[in-house]
Amino acid sequence: MSILLLTSVSTEEETMWLKQLRSALPEEDIRLLADLDDITDVDIAIVANPPQEVLRTLPKLKLIQSLWAGVDALLGDPTLPENVPLVRLIDPTLSASMAEATATHVLALHRDLPRYAQQQQRQEWQQHELLRSSDRTVGILGLGEMGIASAQQLRALGFNVRGWSRSLKEVDGVECFAGQGGLETFLKGLDMLVNLLPLTFETKGILSENLFSQLPKRTGLINFGRGGHQIEGDVITALDDGQLSHAVLDVFSQEPLSADNPLWRHPKITLLPHVAAPTNPGTAVEIVAGNIRKYRKTGQLPKQVERSVGY
Ligand code: NDP
Ligand code: OXD
């Protein structure tokens, strides 16, 4: 049987993935779509934002392994075959990278860096009160692989940390909340809110005027989840009326962000081009190779994406 590598990344990047996957799985026949002799040979697809319509044409497909952590784009494909198990990337290196990004931007907001950058533009020498990290409370939406690693990193830096998830979690030193019933209390009293949710039918548009109005005035927002979580107009309004003090946005409904999008130029927005935690090819390939080898040997799969809930 063959493995198909199916992506929409650049040819250069795809060649890199192919080379690394072939080197990690020398016993497998790994091919790109253009090099397949017979589609009935394919039983595993390794994908990164794959084009629609292809996976459903593979009659013997038994496993779809994503090279990305988030699978919202894949699940949004109406042509995705229904009964094929879907495994997303779970990689401790990716979680550590996200925890580093969260810490970087929480510290930047905690230390008032956007405000001092603006003062520098005006050549204004003005010091502001320095609070301790233990005087600040950071809330994390999503306590999964990314959320827990980030929460632990923030705890190590001395912040008070809260987390919100679908089912109630227990994380050392983190005050945990769950479900719609726990959201209002979770939001009350936060200084910063970090979004690390997957994009699903339940979480789409969660970063809205309604949620912002439940936060204290001048809360800092960091969105590292997906662009579909934020209602862009509501973010701008909340920044303009002081409900939010600053927003760090890494993800957007349309990527790359169009040149005329007002988010680019808003003085209270730090805009990043989806770089919070990029997949690390070295570690990702090792994990994917491990998953496939185990599957070949035992038929067992790692934790699968639960399609009914969307993550
Ligand atoms: P996980 O599936 O491990 O965790 C998801 C968390 O969100 C879980 O705690 C889950 O709750 C919670 N959740 C899901 N739906 C709801 C809901 N309706 N209400 C409350 N909580 C909910 O995902 P990861 O941590 O691995 O990744 C999260 C997202 O981060 C990815 O989907 C992707 O979009 C984004 N990401 C962004 C990157 C970037 O560079 N910007 C890089 C990598 C990922 P429960 O624990 O109860 O299941
Ligand atoms: C991912 C991402 O989901 O890079 O892995 O956003």
Side-chain angles (χ1 to χ4, degrees):
M1 298 306 287
S2 300
I3 296 178
L4 172 66
L5 174 63
L6 190 64
T7 79
S8 59
V9 299
S10 67
T11 310
E12 201 182 19
E13 202 184 326
E14 193 173 59
T15 308
M16 176 279 294
W17 279 111
L18 188 62
K19 202 167 149 213
Q20 294 219 27
L21 285 163
R22 281 178 173 161
S23 145
L25 287 164
E27 69 278 23
E28 296 283 349
D29 174 33
I30 308 178
R31 295 177 184 231
L32 298 175
L33 189 61
D35 305 324
L36 269 186
D37 301 324
D38 183 355
I39 54 165
T40 65
D41 284 342
V42 176
D43 68 340
I44 297 177
I46 300 175
V47 303
N49 206 13
Q52 297 194 359
E53 304 282 354
V54 180
L55 292 171
R56 74 158 164 197
T57 65
L58 307 170
K60 301 233 173 97
L61 192 61
K62 298 277 184 317
L63 165 65
I64 303 169
Q65 166 73 60
S66 172
L67 291 171
W68 284 9
V71 287
D72 45 291
L74 252 181
L75 293 178
D77 172 1
T79 71
L80 187 71
E82 262 173 36
N83 298 315
V84 180
L86 171 58
V87 172
R88 68 191 191 94
L89 183 67
I90 297 182
D91 179 352
T93 300
L94 190 70
S95 309
S97 179
M98 183 60 92
E100 186 181 89
T102 302
T104 300
H105 292 279
V106 164
L107 282 172
L109 297 186
H110 165 57
R111 283 295 191 136
D112 262 343
L113 294 193
R115 195 177 187 185
Y116 285 118
Q118 286 187 4
Q119 284 186 200
Q120 185 180 348
Q121 297 286 320
R122 302 191 294 268
Q123 294 182 302
E124 184 181 315
W125 183 276
Q126 199 194 337
Q127 295 166 343
H128 303 284
E129 183 192 8
L130 177 62
L131 297 182
R132 296 167 303 178
S133 56
S134 58
D135 296 323
R136 307 262 201 203
T137 301
V138 184
I140 301 182
L141 292 166
L143 272 183
E145 303 293 330
M146 305 292 146
I148 289 179
S150 296
Q152 286 167 338
Q153 182 71 74
L154 294 178
R155 280 299 301 142
L157 289 167
F159 291 96
N160 302 301
V161 183
R162 293 184 192 165
W164 183 71
S165 48
R166 212 157 57 93
S167 55
L168 192 60
K169 296 276 172 296
E170 264 185 48
V171 185
D172 214 19
V174 177
E175 205 182 344
C176 294
F177 300 80
Q180 282 306 317
L183 187 58
E184 194 182 335
T185 323
F186 161 82
L187 294 170
K188 228 176 244 161
L190 293 184
D191 296 291
M192 284 169 246
L193 178 69
V194 182
N195 176 41
L196 289 170
L197 287 166
L199 184 62
T200 69
F201 56 93
E202 281 184 2
T203 65
K204 187 167 184 259
I206 187 170
L207 301 177
S208 65
E209 196 271 331
N210 175 41
L211 181 140
F212 300 148
S213 69
Q214 298 174 59
L215 290 165
K217 202 97 181 139
R218 297 193 46 76
T219 302
L221 171 69
I222 299 176
N223 184 12
F224 288 158
R226 283 289 184 259
H229 287 129
Q230 72 215 359
I231 298 179
E232 292 183 2
D234 287 7
V235 174
I236 290 176
T237 305
L239 288 167
D240 289 344
D241 68 17
Q243 187 60 30
L244 294 177
S245 57
H246 194 86
V248 179
L249 307 178
D250 182 59
V251 283
F252 304 90
S253 293
Q254 187 200 341
E255 295 182 7
L257 193 63
S258 65
D260 60 352
N261 192 307
L263 296 176
W264 279 114
R265 284 169 292 280
H266 198 287
K268 292 184 181 168
I269 290 179
T270 299
L271 199 145
L272 300 165
H274 202 137
V275 288
T279 298
N280 176 294
T283 54
V285 159
E286 263 176 52
I287 285 163
V288 167
N291 289 349
I292 290 174
R293 255 197 209 111
K294 186 166 179 198
Y295 173 67
R296 291 279 192 233
K297 223 169 156 180
T298 65
Q300 283 173 19
L301 289 173
K303 188 175 166 225
Q304 291 173 42
V305 171
E306 227 182 289
R307 294 195 189 200
S308 58
V309 287
Y311 68 100

